Amino acid sequence: MRQLSARSARLRGIGALTAAVLCGAGLGAPAAVAAARDGAPAATSPGAGLVDTPPMGFNNWNSTHCRPEFNEDMVKGMADLFVAKGLKDAGYQYINLDDCWAESQRDANGKLVPDPVRFPHGIKAVADYVHSKGLKLGIYTSAGTHTCSEVGFPGALGHEYSDAQQFADWGVDYLKYDNCNNQGVDAQKRYTTMRDALKATGRPIVYSICEWGSNKPWLWAKGVGDLWRTTGDISDSWGSMLSIMKQNLPLAPYAGPGHWNDPDMLEVGNGGMTDTEYRTHFSMWSVMAAPLLIGTDLRQADDATYQILENKDVIAVDQDKLGEQGHVVSSEGGRWVVVKEMADGSRAVALFNESDRAQRIATTATAAGLATGHAYRVRDLWQHRDYNSAGTLAATVPAHGTVLLRVWKDDHSVVYPPAAELGVTGADFVQPGKTEEVTTTLTDLGRTTARRVSVDLDVPDGWQAEATSPATARTLKSGKALTTTWSVTAPKGTGPGSYGVNAVATYWPSHGDAVTTRVPLRARVAVAPPAGDSFASDLTALSSANGWGPVEKDHSNGEAAAGDGKALTIAGTTYAKGLGTNAASSLEYYTGKQCSALKATVGVDDEVGDRGSVTFEVLADGRKVASTGLLKGTDGAQQLTADITGAQSVQLVVTDGGDGPDYDHADWAQPTFSC
Ligand code: GLA
């Protein structure tokens, strides 16, 4: 769902916002358990008992949209791969068809007709095939006159009972019910009618409400649907995934068994994010007890994609019987600690680094909600290894990465190796031919002693890294650290760019195999701006992230395509130089401790009218040094001046103001570095 496309403007009608509490009828057993736990009334929804844990499966939309490759072969292929590749064993169950499966007209009897080219044998045949594999089939329609695609296939508004019966007759097990072309009919009314229609069929059908969070379904849809979308559509980019995660996190109190928040389907494997980012996506969706609906064409997926999607330690977090959605324990400077209580009393703890540089993220077992104890068992859910900890949970987390832990209070955990934290400072930037000092610190976080300890720094070929203090220790006792300084030199002539540097520590517990901890870092070689004043749009950024297409130089953001911006315009004044961004956006520039100020005129671009709400922020070495506070489309331009003296790098950040990124076209006009 996006603000400016003709498609959204034309097709979407959004019902009035109403926030009444619905009382449904009849208590199914699992729903009753959930109700007892929450102390709130529950109603039997069509899929009651099927979604005591969040649904897992596949949906074609994120990989195919309405392209012809969405067809019977694809659907059968996914079912085959679910079995062959172990996804079924890992818990994935539903194979869901999204929009565009139907003919554009109903038949003479008002019945839906499957597209004869995509589904030549009809939907029942596909359902039979999927069922023969021990899996379930899902389908899609809209709570409007037509679905959301350009063509607009028949929607179920006014046809609820007939369409639901048809789905049941075909053997459908799951319905995603969208919101397009709703004619302004009240959302609760539309979604409740379909609930009743599904119920009338007598077939258990999981009911997925997809009204994009427009009418705050978390306030009324428990007892109506089994899950409800909380946001607009996800796309395959870091900015989109992050913004959706941030909108969904605060809704934790509304989720539980049989009534899940749905931050939309997975993009893992689609190519728009790195594997580190996809691991974050999968980790955070699991900590948020989100549905895990694979959105990539598994016939083309690589090993890394399968490894992410089949991580049983992480899936167990998502599928935990307690059904808690993780809550934010702390979030500062891009360092997030999100904790999910588990049915066995343990806690899943996500250390998530939103920022563009590696950062230390730390918390404690007690802050995560565990009782004070002598020792804790800490399992790293991506390494699949157990450690003992005295209580500190800490790691250097790569940019955009997540360290996902599961922690138990457990005095017997001393049988596991001690947890150790490897920290690195000074490796962010390197100037060719100049020796930089880097420090590594390995700390024993466990109750037991680490033995035969060694730390190393792997640098690119041709670079030098020399330890100037001891890099080994015979033993490292609980709470003690080995600090090593290193001289790192990149050869003269090393071109600008980002280079992989790994800090690696190895140690031995009293019993068992050696433990190796690796912190992957990016050392950047860059050139500082020349002396005097320079416009940011004339410099090369170290990195550039944007919420809607690329950042445009000397133009507004425009639409998602590159180069489609207009003149930068804030409150009627146009500017020749600057950066056209869309929240959430972050541009980083190398300033090499040689600049003193960044000045800019900032505001929401006139191209979105009075809409949009953002904050502009300037970060010097990750520290906020200037901010506008909330700035709306109705506000004029503001002057922003930041003292960046001594900073190695400066980030220009735009946040979405807390209400999602739509219409957040944010201009940095005349952004000037003084160096
Ligand atoms: C809406 C939904 C998407 C997808 C499309 C299909 O945008 O939110 O998830 O189903 O419609 O047209």
Side-chain angles (χ1 to χ4, degrees):
M1 187 176 64
R2 262 314 288 200
Q3 69 271 41
L4 290 175
S5 74
R7 172 186 172 233
S8 29
R10 198 152 29 88
L11 292 176
R12 291 178 194 267
I14 294 175
L17 190 147
T18 40
V21 177
L22 264 151
C23 302
L27 277 181
V33 172
R37 209 174 60 80
D38 298 354
T44 304
S45 57
L50 298 176
V51 281
D52 288 345
T53 62
M56 293 175 65
F58 167 86
N59 173 301
N60 66 285
W61 182 254
N62 285 350
S63 65
T64 65
H65 285 206
C66 292
R67 288 190 300 275
E69 65 259 31
F70 168 47
N71 59 26
E72 179 181 298
D73 285 346
M74 175 190 211
V75 176
K76 288 167 124 182
M78 294 310 120
D80 293 345
L81 285 168
F82 265 31
V83 175
K85 292 282 197 170
L87 291 154
K88 181 184 168 195
D89 288 343
Y92 294 95
Q93 206 184 358
Y94 294 93
I95 306 275
N96 294 351
L97 319 183
D98 210 284
D99 202 355
C100 304
W101 60 267
E103 277 274 74
S104 52
Q105 299 299 328
R106 292 172 180 272
D107 71 11
N109 303 318
K111 292 284 184 186
L112 295 162
V113 184
D115 180 324
V117 177
R118 294 183 199 266
F119 295 101
H121 304 97
I123 301 300
K124 170 118 182 31
V126 177
D128 289 346
Y129 186 85
V130 168
H131 291 155
S132 76
K133 303 277 163 181
L135 300 168
K136 294 182 170 178
L137 187 84
I139 209 159
Y140 161 101
T141 188
S142 182
T145 51
H146 293 90
T147 65
C148 295
S149 73
E150 296 282 358
V151 179
F153 298 95
L157 190 64
H159 298 261
E160 291 88 350
Y161 283 82
S162 162
D163 289 356
Q165 192 55 54
Q166 218 179 336
F167 298 149
D169 292 344
W170 283 339
V172 164
D173 308 294
Y174 185 116
L175 173 66
K176 170 175 171 181
Y177 201 34
D178 214 334
N179 193 30
C180 286
N181 304 299
N182 61 46
Q183 311 303 315
V185 181
D186 175 69
Q188 290 188 41
K189 188 161 175 267
R190 287 180 291 120
Y191 285 96
T192 306
T193 305
M194 181 53 95
R195 176 204 57 188
D196 294 342
L198 290 170
K199 204 159 135 193
T201 68
R203 185 177 175 84
I205 296 177
V206 173
Y207 182 29
S208 154
I209 294 178
C210 176
E211 56 76 87
W212 324 306
S214 305
N215 306 279
K216 299 194 167 55
W218 46 91
L219 296 178
W220 54 264
K222 179 177 169 184
V224 179
D226 298 304
L227 60 157
W228 49 79
R229 280 271 297 276
T230 53
T231 71
D233 290 4
I234 195 168
S235 63
D236 186 20
S237 74
W238 169 252
S240 162
M241 192 271 289
L242 182 65
S243 134
I244 283 180
M245 180 199 302
K246 288 184 178 176
Q247 293 170 67
N248 196 61
L249 278 167
L251 301 175
Y254 302 103
H259 52 279
W260 307 105
N261 288 319
D262 173 5
D264 209 357
M265 302 171 290
L266 299 171
E267 291 285 2
V268 176
N270 284 335
M273 290 181 247
T274 65
D275 287 340
T276 299
E277 292 168 342
Y278 282 139
R279 277 192 291 273
T280 286
H281 181 13
F282 198 68
S283 300
M284 296 306 293
W285 259 235
S286 295
V287 168
M288 294 192 298
L292 298 179
L293 292 171
I294 296 169
T296 198
D297 187 342
L298 292 166
R299 294 169 300 180
Q300 282 138 35
D302 60 12
D303 286 349
T305 299
Y306 277 104
Q307 265 176 36
I308 294 171
L309 296 172
E310 292 188 328
N311 185 329
K312 291 188 182 165
D313 275 334
V314 180
I315 291 171
V317 172
D318 182 76
Q319 294 292 302
D320 184 68
K321 291 276 178 279
L322 188 60
E324 199 199 62
Q325 175 172 333
H327 63 278
V328 178
V329 166
S330 59
S331 120
E332 222 203 317
R335 299 179 301 275
W336 294 76
V337 178
V338 184
V339 173
K340 181 182 200 283
E341 183 176 348
M342 304 283 283
D344 67 354
S346 65
R347 299 291 190 277
V349 179
L351 308 176
F352 158 53
N353 182 3
E354 177 188 348
S355 78
D356 295 333
R357 63 181 66 209
Q359 290 204 78
R360 173 176 200 258
I361 306 182
T363 185
T364 62
T366 47
L370 292 171
T372 310
H374 176 72
Y376 299 87
R377 171 182 164 203
V378 177
R379 183 169 177 81
D380 183 312
L381 303 188
W382 288 104
Q383 281 180 6
H384 309 294
R385 276 206 76 154
D386 291 289
Y387 302 92
N388 80 76
S389 165
T392 298
L393 309 169
T396 298
V397 185
H400 295 187
T402 298
V403 168
L404 187 59
L405 307 172
R406 186 160 168 186
V407 189
W408 295 258
K409 179 174 175 294
D410 177 6
D411 287 349
H412 301 296
S413 62
V414 290
V415 298
Y416 300 117
E421 179 192 356
L422 179 57
V424 189
T425 54
D428 285 337
F429 296 101
V430 174
Q431 293 185 46
K434 203 170 152 249
T435 299
E436 309 281 345
E437 190 174 276
V438 174
T439 306
T440 59
T441 306
L442 183 73
T443 310
D444 183 337
L445 301 179
R447 279 289 174 205
T448 55
T449 301
R451 295 166 203 284
R452 290 156 62 193
V453 177
S454 64
V455 178
D456 204 355
L457 209 54
D458 280 349
V459 290
D461 283 348
W463 291 35
Q464 280 188 330
E466 249 178 73
T468 55
S469 70
T472 60
R474 234 162 40 83
T475 59
L476 205 57
K477 292 215 168 94
S478 173
K480 297 286 183 232
L482 168 66
T483 299
T484 311
T485 49
W486 305 80
S487 292
V488 175
T489 322
K492 272 205 180 97
T494 305
S498 172
Y499 294 81
V501 170
N502 286 292
V504 188
T506 305
Y507 59 93
W508 296 74
S510 306
H511 311 285
D513 298 339
V515 177
T516 300
T517 304
R518 181 180 295 273
V519 177
L521 301 161
R522 307 300 303 175
R524 282 173 294 186
V525 173
V527 188
D533 284 353
S534 314
F535 287 123
S537 54
D538 292 335
L539 302 172
T540 306
L542 287 166
S543 64
S544 165
N546 202 46
W548 184 231
V551 171
E552 302 288 354
K553 286 186 172 185
D554 304 328
H555 290 90
S556 67
N557 185 84
E559 286 282 339
D564 65 358
K566 307 189 195 108
L568 291 158
T569 313
I570 309 171
T573 307
T574 60
Y575 301 86
K577 301 297 294 182
L579 301 161
T581 74
N582 189 109
S585 164
S586 171
L587 289 136
E588 187 172 13
Y589 293 88
Y590 180 61
T591 44
K593 301 186 182 169
Q594 283 162 39
C595 305
S596 56
L598 172 82
K599 290 192 183 128
T601 302
V602 297
V604 177
D605 195 280
D606 289 2
E607 71 187 0
V608 292
D610 282 350
R611 291 168 295 199
S613 61
V614 297
T615 66
F616 290 81
E617 296 174 357
V618 179
L619 274 56
D621 289 340
R623 204 168 39 85
K624 203 190 287 182
V625 288
S627 168
T628 54
L630 192 66
L631 207 57
K632 299 198 168 182
T634 42
D635 298 327
Q638 233 189 66
Q639 295 301 320
L640 197 63
T641 302
D643 181 353
I644 56 168
T645 309
Q648 287 263 36
S649 82
V650 170
Q651 275 165 276
L652 275 50
V653 173
V654 177
T655 78
D656 68 9
D659 62 353
D662 286 359
Y663 304 108
D664 286 349
H665 293 217
D667 293 345
W668 297 85
Q670 319 286 110
T672 309
F673 283 102
S674 303
C675 306

